[in-house]
Amino acid sequence: MAEIRNIVILTGAGISAESGIDTFRSAGGLWEQHRVEDVATPEGFARDPELVLGFYDMRREALRKVQPNAAHAALARLDRQFAGELLIVTQNVDDLHERAGARRILHMHGELKSALCISCEMRSPWDATLSDRPPCPVCRAPSLRPDVVWFGEMPYQMDRIYSALREADLFVSIGTSGAVYPAAGFVRDARDLGARTLELNLERSEGSAWFHESRQGKAGELVPEWVDEVLIS
Ligand code: APR
């Protein structure tokens, strides 16, 4: 393997599946049980805020019952031991990467455990419910929403992500269906910019053909194996 100095990793719901968190687009997945436009759009929130706040309260509550799995642990090990540049860009709103010990994390779709105030636009760490309309800790207005990126909204920190992709010599996508842009386009961006590209996913994703290499299997097995390869190379 050529020497790797700079890695960008994209993770999706598949990396948390073995922890017991539903993915979105599988049979029985989150989007089969809920209409996306009701619970994951600004329009849905405007129409029925109680429904939306309750939905994210349930997802936040569900986080208490799950633990990071072997894939999160392996990425945390990579973060600790890899001396080069690393950025783990996650589409996940759970906190399992952090709980496994990873530090170089960017949540491009926001975080369940953060609240965003519509009045003062400040973010606050959040562990409790939002459906009871608690006051914003900063401005006291009862205007908190989940700090997650809904369909139709701009993902967070895109400038930082693209500058990391420009520098990357390896781009790895883990547990994501490649159905949602802009994340689904990162493989082409990274490849155009000269990075080698690798997919680790249960099945071939929608964008699988864009990767130099695609390995199929469970993240809990594939990710520790791949991290071993990087750390001994
Ligand atoms: N190991 C590896 N991959 C897995 C596993 C597993 N144990 N289980 C499922 N997968 C794969 C599935 O095969 C699928 O390709 O993970 C992928 C999950 O895809 P999605 O459910 O579409 O989730 P994701 O790609 O993260 O969705 C992207 O869309 O719904 C929005 O904002 C939401 O961040 C989310 C975004």
Side-chain angles (χ1 to χ4, degrees), residues 188-210:
R188 265 171 284 175
D189 300 325
R191 202 179 161 136
D192 287 349
L193 293 161
R196 185 160 178 81
T197 54
L198 168 67
E199 167 174 83
L200 307 176
N201 205 51
L202 194 60
E203 60 204 347
R204 283 190 170 275
S205 71
E206 289 186 25
S208 198
W210 294 102

Side-chain angles (χ1 to χ4, degrees), residues 95-176:
D95 59 350
L96 296 181
H97 283 303
E98 287 89 343
R99 278 160 57 189
R103 293 288 168 268
R104 291 182 269 182
I105 298 281
L106 186 162
H107 281 270
M108 67 178 288
H109 289 169
E111 295 175 69
L112 279 174
K113 292 180 71 171
S114 175
L116 175 64
C117 179
I118 297 163
S119 295
C120 71
E121 297 182 358
M122 296 301 283
R123 300 194 153 83
S124 303
W126 205 261
D127 206 11
T129 51
L130 288 173
S131 53
D132 48 345
R133 300 304 183 102
C136 167
V138 181
C139 73
R140 313 307 299 169
S143 312
L144 295 173
R145 59 163 271 185
D147 186 12
V148 301
V149 176
W150 287 324
F151 288 92
E153 296 182 321
M154 181 63 88
Y156 296 154
Q157 301 197 54
M158 293 306 294
D159 289 350
R160 195 173 149 215
I161 295 172
Y162 283 119
S163 77
L165 289 172
R166 269 193 295 279
E167 302 300 321
D169 44 41
L170 178 63
F171 171 76
V172 186
S173 172
I174 304 171
T176 177

Side-chain angles (χ1 to χ4, degrees), residues 41-121:
T41 62
E43 295 76 18
F45 183 55
R47 232 178 2 252
D48 192 346
E50 270 65 42
L51 174 82
V52 176
L53 294 172
F55 172 72
Y56 288 93
D57 281 353
M58 269 168 28
R59 291 183 63 192
R60 196 179 308 101
E61 179 63 29
L63 267 190
R64 294 179 200 276
K65 303 184 188 95
V66 301
Q67 298 297 329
N69 64 52
H72 299 104
L75 292 190
R77 180 161 60 91
L78 182 70
D79 189 0
R80 276 193 304 278
Q81 297 181 12
F82 180 63
E85 290 294 318
L86 171 72
L87 182 64
I88 302 169
V89 178
T90 186
Q91 299 167 88
N92 298 344
V93 293
D94 67 51
D95 59 350
L96 296 181
H97 283 303
E98 287 89 343
R99 278 160 57 189
R103 293 288 168 268
R104 291 182 269 182
I105 298 281
L106 186 162
H107 281 270
M108 67 178 288
H109 289 169
E111 295 175 69
L112 279 174
K113 292 180 71 171
S114 175
L116 175 64
C117 179
I118 297 163
S119 295
C120 71
E121 297 182 358

